[in-house]
Amino acid sequence: MFLYTLLVVLTDLAAHFLGSTVFRQHFHLLLSAVLMFGPALSFWVSQHSIFAKRSHFLYRLFLHSGWGWTCIFVGSFVFLLSFSIRRSFSLSMRHLSRLGVTGALWLCFCKLLDLLENTTGSCFEPLLSGPEVVKDQPLLVLREGLSKSECIKAGMVWSGYEVSEDVFLLCLCCLLLAEETAVFGPYLSLGGDSDAPLRILFLFCVLLLFLWIFLLLCLLAYFPQFPTQLLGGALGCLSWRVLYQGWYRLGPSWFCPGRPGLGLLNIKSRSNETQNMKLGVDHIH
């Protein structure tokens, strides 16, 4: 009983915070500030920290499969919330289709970014002339006729016009999580029923949001790459604005899944209308 009470308190606080107008209107500005000033943290962090190693388990377990983790938790939350309210499989699939659209857009951008790096890049072979080679500034010999994959397999260095796909994915996932979980606060305020599984899924989504923000700060602080990270973040914010602030606002149709919570956040109003109708009938009788 104590654990369930603690779960209710934590999820209520998080839901009202994520569903507040201030958070929804300014979260993308906060994320932009993190992208702009996050690399300045590299002057204060220690390069001997465990987070300064790309082999850290957080990077290996979450960063390279960030979209999968986001789909699992957000998809489960969206489906359970929508299906528990309306008991409509088609409505739940319509809300889940937003994840499919976002995933397709992410894959297309990743392909385009790989194509851009392959087109503008060249393969270089490190020239090891002795132990006196300056650190981080090795002499390189150009190797022509190799693709990026062939270059990397041969143990050489590929240099091209790069946009950080990791920062792009983290920013996109943060904004998606903020949009999809923001409906839980208004849902609770309207008197919606929420059992333990739904609250646990929501809490996992909130924890995942904080994890993505933490990993974003780690990348900016320990592995600063300006302007590639800034471009990746800008691309993630642009994708969010085109989808959630543009296309999804057109309303639900065969070509548009609609905004999060559309068709779900009218529980209390319907119950009040039903109660008023009953009172009117009783008054007539």
Side-chain angles (χ1 to χ4, degrees), residues 165-214:
E165 294 185 10
D166 290 336
V167 174
F168 166 49
L169 176 61
L170 287 176
C171 289
L172 183 60
C173 288
C174 285
L175 292 166
L176 183 145
L177 276 162
E179 288 285 349
E180 297 293 344
T181 56
V183 301
F184 197 55
Y187 168 74
L188 294 178
S189 300
L190 290 172
D193 296 329
S194 56
D195 51 5
L198 183 59
R199 289 182 176 271
I200 291 174
L201 280 174
F202 172 75
L203 187 60
F204 276 134
C205 289
V206 174
L207 293 176
L208 192 64
L209 174 60
F210 283 106
L211 177 61
W212 292 157
I213 296 175
F214 175 73

Side-chain angles (χ1 to χ4, degrees), residues 73-111:
F73 287 110
V74 176
S76 301
F77 170 74
V78 170
F79 178 81
L80 186 59
L81 177 65
S82 58
F83 191 78
S84 61
I85 296 174
R86 293 290 175 251
R87 301 294 178 179
S88 173
F89 187 77
S90 60
L91 179 64
S92 300
M93 289 297 101
R94 177 167 65 79
H95 282 287
L96 280 178
S97 65
R98 287 192 300 271
L99 293 179
V101 172
T102 308
L105 183 65
W106 169 65
L107 288 176
C108 290
F109 273 126
C110 287
K111 295 294 183 181

Side-chain angles (χ1 to χ4, degrees), residues 210-231:
F210 283 106
L211 177 61
W212 292 157
I213 296 175
F214 175 73
L215 289 180
L216 179 61
L217 286 171
C218 286
L219 289 181
L220 296 173
Y222 292 103
F223 311 100
Q225 294 178 347
F226 189 86
T228 61
Q229 291 176 334
L230 185 62
L231 292 174

Side-chain angles (χ1 to χ4, degrees), residues 15 107 109 122 128 136 158 162 170 186 258 266-267 269:
L107 288 176
F109 273 126
S122 301
L128 303 177
D136 296 332
W158 183 268
E162 184 182 1
L170 287 176
N266 53 358
I267 298 168
S269 60

